[in-house]
Amino acid sequence: MKTALITHADCLNHVTPEGHPERVARLQHILHALEPLDLNRVTAPFAAEDDVLRIHPADYIADLRRARPNDGFAQIDGDTFLSPGSIDAAFRGAGAVIRAVDMVLGGEAPNAFAAIRPPGHHAETSTAMGFCLFGNAALAAKHALDHHGLNRVAVVDFDVHHGNGTQDLLWDEPRALLVTSQQMPLWPGSGRPDEDGAHGQILNMPLSPESGSAEMRAAYETQAFPRLRAFKPELIIISAGFDAHQDDPLASLNWTTGDFTWVTAELCALAQDLCQGRIVSTLEGGYDLNALSAATKAHVQELMKAAT
Ligand SMILES: [Zn+2]
């Protein structure tokens, strides 16, 4: 069985103002880089409102719909914008991760990558922020737990920014382990080790600016992987942001494309040991187009290797 690639053209209709780093070209470059790969290409469905209600209240969704402009842009916060196509893009993104979980847990795909935007890991329960509208990784986890009846799901977030939204959405969820690495100090400022969840089920691994491969590999080897092994997840969800890359303009970790290959391969090996290889990965950040497309391709190629 092949790795599933789940996306939708609607995700290209979420437009941001000129000069905004989270831009349409990001997904275009990624899809171009993935074009030659032998993947099971799946069109993302529209998420049902009831699905999104697993993580966001109805008035939050209604407020976003009301804020959607008929043309131009609506500004939600300092760097989060809506265009006319943004709400549909967000519902396709949510639909993509739900479909990914359904495929992987239903035996239709060994693992899956959701190539979607806007990203999700900064969206808190009732607050859109940091380019994000719906908390896709947390939604995938809740869908696996509540709809599929799993007991333990792990979310691993290697985006360079702290996944404050995923942390907020899973803070009181004892069935979900959240393991996240982030540059600190860096926006949004959260992600200290003492932020460990209502049940001690959140592991924050801050990394210093200008640290690189050795520091990140040590953090994952000494902290993340042992926690994952001890938790014994039935599914691993990856918040795959590629902005820790050394060429990224928004941060100053010095990860190479090889580091993304390494962490993906390690997570695939863990998944093989713990949960029949089941991984659902969803796109978060990454803002240098060449680094983003190369690192995403490396990530997906590792998923493909694990699928054979
Ligand atoms: Zn980021």
Side-chain angles (χ1 to χ4, degrees):
M1 273 191 303
K2 296 176 190 175
T3 295
L5 171 65
I6 309 179
T7 189
H8 196 282
D10 280 356
C11 294
L12 301 169
N13 291 330
H14 166 60
V15 182
T16 52
E18 184 72 31
H20 195 287
E22 202 296 285
R23 55 208 192 275
V24 173
R26 295 179 62 241
L27 184 53
Q28 291 171 328
H29 275 243
I30 287 172
L31 294 176
H32 181 70
L34 300 183
E35 222 166 69
L37 303 186
D38 186 21
L39 294 156
N40 179 7
R41 289 158 202 280
V42 177
T43 302
F46 232 77
E49 182 132 343
D50 279 353
D51 289 320
V52 181
L53 286 171
R54 288 190 201 283
I55 54 165
H56 296 298
D59 58 355
Y60 171 76
I61 301 169
D63 285 350
L64 280 181
R65 284 206 167 103
R66 251 194 307 278
R68 187 188 71 89
N70 289 323
D71 55 23
F73 303 103
Q75 189 163 7
I76 304 285
D77 77 352
D79 50 24
T80 310
F81 293 83
L82 298 182
S83 70
S86 297
I87 304 298
D88 283 2
F91 272 93
R92 291 289 182 191
V97 297
I98 288 168
R99 183 85 184 98
V101 169
D102 290 345
M103 289 186 76
V104 169
L105 294 182
E108 292 175 74
N111 52 37
F113 179 69
I116 55 174
R117 53 182 296 280
H121 74 151
H122 295 305
E124 298 186 343
T125 305
S126 295
T127 309
M129 60 185 278
F131 321 158
C132 299
L133 302 180
F134 292 159
N136 300 313
L139 175 58
K142 290 283 196 185
H143 180 72
L145 294 166
D146 294 344
H147 181 76
H148 289 278
L150 297 195
N151 297 308
R152 292 177 312 283
V153 173
V155 178
V156 179
D157 185 332
F158 58 66
D159 189 280
V160 79
H161 302 95
H162 180 235
N164 60 292
T166 308
Q167 175 167 293
D168 179 56
L169 291 163
L170 298 179
W171 185 263
D172 196 19
E173 176 50 84
R175 301 170 296 171
L177 169 69
L178 170 61
V179 173
T180 164
S181 60
Q182 53 274 346
Q183 180 181 321
M184 181 170 282
L186 187 67
W187 189 93
S190 51
R192 298 185 316 272
D194 64 346
E195 298 165 31
D196 62 354
H199 310 275
Q201 85 291 7
I202 294 175
L203 172 63
N204 271 296
M205 304 187 297
L207 297 167
S208 302
E210 302 305 339
S211 63
S213 301
E215 290 86 350
M216 79 75 107
R217 292 188 189 208
Y220 276 87
E221 279 174 341
T222 63
Q223 299 179 65
F225 300 151
R227 275 296 287 274
L228 285 161
R229 284 195 181 279
F231 184 70
K232 297 184 173 59
E234 298 161 287
L235 170 70
I236 296 176
I237 293 158
I238 302 178
S239 257
F242 298 96
D243 39 8
H245 195 283
Q246 57 194 358
D247 294 340
D248 198 274
L250 295 196
S252 50
L253 293 189
N254 295 310
W255 297 14
T256 63
T257 300
D259 290 325
F260 292 101
T261 300
W262 175 82
V263 73
T264 307
E266 292 287 326
L267 290 171
C268 286
L270 265 172
Q272 203 59 52
D273 285 352
L274 299 172
C275 51
Q276 301 114 58
R278 294 161 163 180
I279 290 182
V280 166
S281 176
T282 181
L283 180 66
E284 301 286 0
Y287 303 100
D288 178 89
L289 295 179
N290 291 329
L292 170 65
S293 50
T296 305
K297 184 178 181 183
H299 174 69
V300 172
Q301 284 178 313
E302 288 307 311
L303 294 177
M304 293 172 70
K305 272 190 215 169
T308 54

